[in-house]
Amino acid sequence: MSAAGRIAAGLAAALLLAGGPASAAAGPDDRPLLYQVPPDPIPALLAAPARPMVMVSPSRDRLALLGRPAAPPIAELAAPVLGLAGHMVDPLNNGPGGISAYDGVVFIDLADGTERRAALPADARVIAPLWSPDGQSLAFLMLRPDEVELWTASAATGAARRVTGRINAAFPQAYAWLPDGGGFLVRLVPGERGAPPEPDRVPVGPIVQESEPGRTAALTTLQNLLASPADEALFDYYFTSTLARVGLDGVTSGPLAPPGLILDSQPSPDGRYLLETRLQRPYSYSVGAGSFPTVVVVRDRGGEIVRRVVDRPLQELATSAVPTGARSIQWREDAPATLVWAEARDGGDLSADVAVHDRLLMLAAPFTGDPLRLIDLEGRFSRIFWGRDDLALVASSVDRRQQRTVVDPSRPGRGRELRSGAVGEPVMRTDPRGRERLHLTPDGEALLVRGGGGVLRVDLETGERTPYRVPADDGSVLMALLDDAGERLLVRRQDHNAPPNLFVTDGSGETARAVTAFVDPAPQFAGVQQRVLTYSRSDGVPLSATLFLPAGHRVGIDGPLPLLVTGYPVLAADRAALRGGGREAEGFTRPDGFGDIELYLLTQGYAVMRMAMPVADDGAPETLQGHAPQVVANAAAALDAAAATGAVDRDRAAVLGWSFGAAMAADLLAHSDLFRAGVALSGAYNRTLTPFGFQTERRTFWEAPEHYMAISPFAFADRINEPILLMHGAADANSGAQPMQSERFFAALKGHGATARYVLLPHEGHSYRARESLEHALWEITTWLNRYLRDSQAVGEGERPG
């Protein structure tokens, strides 16, 4: 479907929800169903602002808190948006479409706690914040109705001002600080580009795609791809930009290169060169922009090309494949101007039986001659962390196992695996040029990684892991080291009654000074009870769940509660990799929009349980085999554990799932009688529609048809005899989870006489954002559960409603 067609489809979806003779969501007597409001106090909870995002300055002496508003109105989501080549663009301002923005910036001095609010417009919509290299100011993009502007705000005074406008933010990373902090490298909308192209009202011919013998293209199911010559013209119009430098005073110099589809542009650490990635024709209707023909070049300060790194043709590759030739091209963070990239040595096919799958190469300025081999990898390269002249850490994956390799860039070709179990995410620091570097211990003999709520020391020679800075055992989580030695820490503290706040502590965590004073955004949740349940399923796999009970509920006195159970399947390679135990209490519990949608039911007299849902197919005789049997066994064990508390009524349990968890919910209704009702949000129910893999499954449908069918609730729609509520966003762009999945599943359920309801939310994606959508979704869920769970009587096996 073309972009113009998708806009029309969105309008049709809105009309469908509004009602009419064919609407599954129509009200009584086919009256239009308007957005409904759930019972109190849910609307007030949804209106509470979310916790701000925290950014520590490179100088580590200030914080920037970026305010996140409450759910936006549906009118914001209904604004025009075009889906082109896998990207969403706002045609009115040439910025990203369908995204959430921040509404304010507050700076905090960590020395004394002084706060300064940035002087922004009242209607500010802020995205893409970046600290300056020296940490003295914050840059960001301001979304205006008709353009995108680049702004800066002083951390010392809060003064904010517009630097320039006409930023082309259709692609991400539309700007970058220059290393000296004196200006920016920006992508601009070309001047005098005219009006957007209008599609021909009368087609001039058919749309044709071809497949050639011997050329396989096992592609992921993607949304918002190009679909017509009209889409191609719109893609050229909105995504073409010019590259320029702009000073802090707004003076622009450039263009530095001809206009084009500039996907990325990054200055070298010394500012003398820029690395540019641009796309070119021919385009594809099967893959996104990142797979289009690509040219990567190095330009000097004047814009002249000094090195052509790669000229890559169109890549229509399988999900697990990578292109041949140079890829993941980037600057070496700890050198003035050195390129680093990966090249596949296996033809791009990780299943190839070769000793070396990837090779990392380096080439320093002036970029003449042949590159040096940095390291050969037995797996697939994912990322490199730079430390110093003689130290870098290379991350790769080998047989689904994460591997870390220590390399010495001053002696290319040598490396050794850092054998330290799960190494964890390295702690990084920002150097004076604004580049991220590995944070090493002061003696330089160990790197620091996150783990256990704090920071661990990993010896570079032995891989031994020892605690380095671990916050006090008071609910603290380490956020950042505020000096090189870790003598000052930024931690976040919370408990069941106190909301998360930030504190500066010493290295031992014994002394603390509050930095923020956030109040409880949802006092209605004060007193919500949490219990961590540990148990085992029938084949002995250890599991756990967190059980939430409404505030004030007295177990054994007030009677057992109806129970809403949620989970999300996690696929593992074998039994040893199954992880379902050891969950800790979740601390301060407040719902935060769609991601915690089940928790709102605690205000309506329900208990809520988040259960572990690991699944493995390893063929081992001691492990249950098959997806559905393990899902059912996990849920049965969780229900037994919850019932043993005396707090819940096991015969009045419902299951809710989102995305892959939605299919889990449907599977549980199809393959068991454990639950009396189900709620499935934004699910994929027919895996034959994602035939080249999903989640961690890399076999195709034709290689494992039985598995694809077994994991598809659509194939078992005739077995579902409990009421099921389906919900989907009409603009869902998730790979494989387009609204058609819910539409066809509902049709199958209806065709077999099941009790089902299908709700399509206009303009919503895979998650739901608008206030009206969230309110209506919770109205649907509470109405459904009240009807089929809370207000129903206990029934025996085989007597489930529906």
Side-chain angles (χ1 to χ4, degrees), residues 521-554:
Q524 302 92 329
F525 265 70
V528 165
Q529 306 166 60
Q530 295 182 54
R531 297 187 182 187
V532 177
L533 310 179
T534 57
Y535 49 94
S536 296
R537 74 184 191 193
S538 57
D539 61 354
V541 171
L543 300 172
S544 72
T546 303
L547 178 65
F548 301 87
L549 302 177
H553 179 76
R554 298 168 298 175

Side-chain angles (χ1 to χ4, degrees), residues 83 165 183 246 429 438 454 470 480 495-496 554-555 579 634 639:
V246 59
R429 63 178 180 83
L438 285 170
V470 180
D495 59 32
H496 291 295
R554 298 168 298 175
V555 178
R579 295 190 180 103
N634 291 337
L639 287 174

Side-chain angles (χ1 to χ4, degrees), residues 463-475:
E464 181 184 3
R465 294 153 53 101
T466 55
Y468 185 73
R469 295 290 182 263
V470 180
D473 188 17
D474 56 2

Side-chain angles (χ1 to χ4, degrees), residues 526-790:
V528 165
Q529 306 166 60
Q530 295 182 54
R531 297 187 182 187
V532 177
L533 310 179
T534 57
Y535 49 94
S536 296
R537 74 184 191 193
S538 57
D539 61 354
V541 171
L543 300 172
S544 72
T546 303
L547 178 65
F548 301 87
L549 302 177
H553 179 76
R554 298 168 298 175
V555 178
I557 299 176
D558 295 332
L561 296 167
L563 174 65
L564 178 62
V565 179
T566 68
Y568 193 94
V570 177
L571 306 183
D574 51 43
R575 182 186 178 99
L578 289 175
R579 295 190 180 103
R583 290 185 66 174
E584 298 180 356
E586 304 193 14
F588 186 76
T589 303
R590 300 296 184 270
D592 187 11
F594 179 78
D596 294 315
I597 196 165
E598 70 276 8
L599 294 183
Y600 293 94
L601 275 296
L602 288 166
T603 68
Q604 305 302 308
Y606 290 87
V608 172
M609 181 168 61
R610 290 172 168 170
M611 64 177 171
M613 186 55 64
V615 177
D617 284 319
D618 58 2
E622 68 272 17
T623 304
L624 276 172
Q625 295 302 305
H627 184 88
Q630 291 185 77
V631 166
V632 171
N634 291 337
L639 287 174
D640 286 343
T645 67
V648 303
D649 182 351
R650 196 185 193 285
D651 289 327
R652 287 192 298 158
V655 61
L656 178 148
W658 166 77
S659 192
F660 198 33
M664 172 208 72
D667 276 330
L668 285 166
L669 298 187
H671 298 288
S672 78
D673 286 317
L674 295 172
F675 298 97
R676 301 195 59 184
V679 178
L681 311 175
S682 303
Y685 308 102
N686 184 351
R687 282 301 172 185
T688 68
L689 298 178
T690 57
F692 294 105
F694 55 90
Q695 298 289 318
T696 59
E697 177 59 66
R698 292 296 173 257
R699 294 172 297 176
T700 70
F701 167 74
W702 296 273
E703 292 170 324
E706 297 84 1
H707 178 63
Y708 274 71
M709 295 303 294
I711 209 168
S712 298
F714 178 86
F716 305 97
D718 59 328
R719 300 185 186 180
I720 295 178
N721 61 353
E722 296 90 2
I724 183 169
L725 171 65
L726 305 178
M727 209 173 306
H728 221 113
D732 193 338
N734 178 267
S735 174
Q738 56 268 67
M740 177 179 65
Q741 288 274 6
S742 289
E743 294 167 6
R744 301 289 171 84
F745 189 38
F746 174 73
L749 293 165
K750 187 174 182 179
H752 286 91
T755 301
R757 180 177 175 88
Y758 173 41
V759 179
L760 187 65
L761 297 172
H763 305 294
E764 292 292 352
H766 199 50
S767 303
Y768 316 146
R769 296 172 48 222
R771 182 189 70 248
E772 292 89 341
S773 300
L774 289 169
E775 288 181 343
H776 187 88
L778 281 160
W779 176 80
E780 293 278 1
I781 293 170
T782 53
T783 301
W784 196 256
L785 296 182
N786 289 348
R787 179 184 305 161
Y788 295 111
L789 192 67
R790 188 193 68 183

Side-chain angles (χ1 to χ4, degrees), residues 253 358 381 405 447 471 746:
S253 59
D358 267 352
F381 168 75
T405 304
L447 62 86
F746 174 73

Side-chain angles (χ1 to χ4, degrees), residues 97-116:
I99 66 167
S100 298
Y102 304 107
D103 62 356
V105 179
V106 174
F107 297 107
I108 298 179
D109 290 343
L110 291 177
D112 57 13
T114 301
E115 292 189 10
R116 300 177 188 86

Side-chain angles (χ1 to χ4, degrees), residues 271-585:
R272 296 172 55 209
Y273 301 94
L274 64 92
L275 182 62
E276 177 197 272
T277 302
R278 66 171 63 202
L279 309 178
Q280 55 189 18
R281 289 176 178 265
Y283 303 148
S284 170
Y285 295 176
S286 300
V287 292
S291 298
F292 290 175
T294 302
V295 176
V296 181
V297 300
V298 177
R299 296 182 185 273
D300 62 19
R301 286 184 60 86
E304 295 297 322
I305 295 177
V306 297
R307 177 84 180 198
R308 184 177 291 265
V309 185
V310 69
D311 192 339
R312 185 186 305 131
L314 176 68
Q315 303 291 308
E316 293 185 340
L317 301 173
T319 305
S320 59
V322 298
T324 57
R327 74 176 199 281
S328 301
I329 305 161
Q330 58 196 271
W331 292 115
R332 179 175 165 179
E333 297 284 287
D334 62 338
T338 296
L339 289 176
V340 180
W341 66 85
E343 289 187 4
R345 308 295 292 177
D346 54 11
D349 181 3
L350 193 57
S351 65
D353 186 13
V354 296
V356 174
H357 285 276
D358 267 352
R359 173 171 291 172
L360 296 189
L361 299 164
M362 292 193 308
L363 184 63
F367 312 108
T368 57
D370 296 328
L372 297 175
R373 177 170 60 93
L374 176 59
I375 191 69
D376 284 339
L377 300 171
E378 61 174 308
R380 186 66 79 217
F381 168 75
S382 56
R383 186 178 175 185
I384 187 165
F385 305 90
W386 298 99
R388 59 191 184 215
D389 290 345
D390 65 346
L391 176 65
L393 188 67
V394 178
S396 58
S397 58
V398 181
D399 296 329
R400 298 188 183 181
R401 177 177 62 86
Q402 295 302 306
Q403 188 176 76
R404 299 290 186 267
T405 304
V406 176
V407 299
D408 181 352
S410 68
R411 304 172 68 185
R414 301 186 181 186
R416 54 183 173 76
E417 183 178 356
L418 183 62
R419 296 189 178 276
S420 183
V423 173
E425 186 71 12
V427 177
M428 307 300 289
R429 63 178 180 83
T430 306
D431 70 14
R433 287 173 169 161
R435 299 286 173 160
E436 283 200 336
R437 307 271 288 273
L438 285 170
H439 195 137
L440 306 175
T441 54
D443 60 13
E445 295 181 355
L447 62 86
L448 303 179
V449 301
R450 297 186 181 276
V455 170
L456 305 177
R457 179 187 187 277
V458 179
D459 189 282
L460 290 169
E461 290 296 327
T462 66
E464 181 184 3
R465 294 153 53 101
T466 55
Y468 185 73
R469 295 290 182 263
V470 180
D473 188 17
D474 56 2
S476 295
V477 175
L478 182 63
M479 302 294 290
L481 303 180
L482 298 179
D483 55 44
D484 287 345
E487 298 298 335
R488 296 174 65 243
L489 312 176
L490 181 69
V491 303
R492 185 186 68 227
R493 287 182 177 175
Q494 64 174 358
D495 59 32
H496 291 295
N497 300 310
N501 272 291
L502 300 176
F503 295 79
V504 172
T505 76
D506 60 16
S508 67
E510 293 181 358
T511 62
R513 175 173 51 81
V515 175
T516 59
F518 301 131
V519 299
D520 188 345
Q524 302 92 329
F525 265 70
V528 165
Q529 306 166 60
Q530 295 182 54
R531 297 187 182 187
V532 177
L533 310 179
T534 57
Y535 49 94
S536 296
R537 74 184 191 193
S538 57
D539 61 354
V541 171
L543 300 172
S544 72
T546 303
L547 178 65
F548 301 87
L549 302 177
H553 179 76
R554 298 168 298 175
V555 178
I557 299 176
D558 295 332
L561 296 167
L563 174 65
L564 178 62
V565 179
T566 68
Y568 193 94
V570 177
L571 306 183
D574 51 43
R575 182 186 178 99
L578 289 175
R579 295 190 180 103
R583 290 185 66 174
E584 298 180 356

